[in-house]
Amino acid sequence: MVAEMTEKIKDLKSRKRAVILAHYYTRPEVQAVADFVGDSLALSIEAARTQADIIVFAGVYFMAETAKILSPTKKVLIPDPEAGCSLADSCGADDFAAFKKQHPEALVVSYVNTTAEIKALTDICCTSSNALEVIRSIPADREIIFAPDRNLGSWLKRQTGRENMILWNGACHVHEEFSLEGILALKAAHPEAPVLAHPECKEPILMVADFVGSTAAILDYAGRSSATEFIVVTESGILHEMNKKYPDKTFIPAPPVDSTCGCNDCAYMKLVTLEKIVAALETERPEVVVEESVRSAAERSIRAMLELNR
Ligand code: SF4
């Protein structure tokens, strides 16, 4: 079945001059059919430079929207439009506009895990890969609103020593659910294994981590490190790429507080299946549409970020 779907996707892709971009958190078989697999930053860059006519975005909605914002003349398809994001949902546009009004002098830095409307209210976007660089590029005396992830925002404050950052109170349900006790137990059982954590995790978890970084930085660290075992504290989809890249190393997923809930998996990312990719390519639907005034304002904040990464 997987082989049949994979062949079908290959055929449809070449007939329609389509490209599939997939996030590391999607299902392994989805990552396997993608032309490009990456984290949010790498996917944004790829979406901006692809020459394809159609982009199929195997990821969550805000990522597909980002692709459309950067490539407005291309058709961007999302295999499942219900693939949302609890972090993006924690920051509504009306509430955020009111919050911004309370701090009129502040520069707004938003994570790309936001809707197009929030990006349109933002001065410069960031991802977990470049958030430190973005914050450090802003003059030290300038007040900053950081949205929407409070854990990443707090981590940035600690890393940069900046007190003038005002944080929006949002969070990702996956990264909030990791169990400190579970991680400490794994550490005791595997004393040589470094703990690699994503900065969207809560502070106590980041305190016991040996390395904190984006999914791309975690992958890179695992490759450079001489350790052979690692405890991985981020969405479990990343393990597919880790095992593929470093087959001689062992990656142990950190457990969530409730070991029966499967909440170290992003349920939204897992909504993308091979069947839905086939259907999207066949019907060229569902298509992502962003209203032009929102798109152009959102594009400015994403381009401001991409300029820093040149
Ligand atoms: S892992 Fe969290 S931040 Fe990432 S897409 Fe899923 S809900 Fe959103």
Side-chain angles (χ1 to χ4, degrees), residues 216-234:
I218 286 176
L219 264 169
D220 181 55
Y221 181 94
R224 282 186 288 110
S225 168
S226 57
T228 53
E229 295 196 299
F230 302 84
I231 298 162
V232 183
V233 199
T234 188

Side-chain angles (χ1 to χ4, degrees), residues 87-257:
L87 181 53
D89 289 347
S90 69
C91 191
D94 290 345
D95 290 343
F96 190 67
F99 183 70
K100 207 180 141 176
K101 268 201 185 124
Q102 291 166 18
H103 307 281
E105 300 302 320
L107 195 99
V108 179
V109 178
S110 294
Y111 208 21
V112 287
N113 303 38
T114 50
T115 60
E117 287 77 14
I118 298 296
K119 290 186 178 78
L121 293 167
T122 293
D123 294 298
I124 177 163
C125 282
C126 72
T127 70
S128 48
S129 288
N130 62 18
L132 264 177
E133 195 185 345
V134 168
I135 297 298
R136 287 184 174 136
S137 74
I138 298 166
D141 58 352
R142 184 79 193 265
E143 197 174 44
I144 297 172
I145 290 176
F146 184 83
D149 191 276
R150 60 176 173 248
N151 295 321
L152 176 61
S154 302
W155 180 75
L156 290 167
K157 274 178 99 163
R158 292 195 297 279
Q159 294 298 305
T160 59
R162 282 185 85 129
E163 285 308 317
N164 56 354
M165 279 177 71
I166 308 151
L167 308 184
W168 180 263
N169 191 19
C172 155
H173 74 294
V174 175
H175 289 95
E176 284 253 302
E177 288 301 319
F178 286 109
S179 158
L180 180 60
E181 289 70 26
I183 292 166
L184 292 176
L186 277 178
K187 247 173 116 78
H190 304 269
E192 304 299 322
V195 174
L196 315 181
H198 193 280
E200 284 173 28
C201 297
K202 288 179 175 172
E203 185 176 351
I205 300 226
L206 300 181
M207 302 280 279
V208 301
D210 298 285
F211 177 78
V212 177
S214 65
T215 39
I218 286 176
L219 264 169
D220 181 55
Y221 181 94
R224 282 186 288 110
S225 168
S226 57
T228 53
E229 295 196 299
F230 302 84
I231 298 162
V232 183
V233 199
T234 188
E235 210 277 349
S236 59
I238 186 68
L239 269 74
H240 172 71
E241 185 71 9
M242 294 182 120
N243 288 320
K244 195 170 97 187
K245 269 192 149 158
Y246 313 117
D248 298 337
K249 300 191 176 193
T250 303
F251 300 100
I252 307 160
V257 176

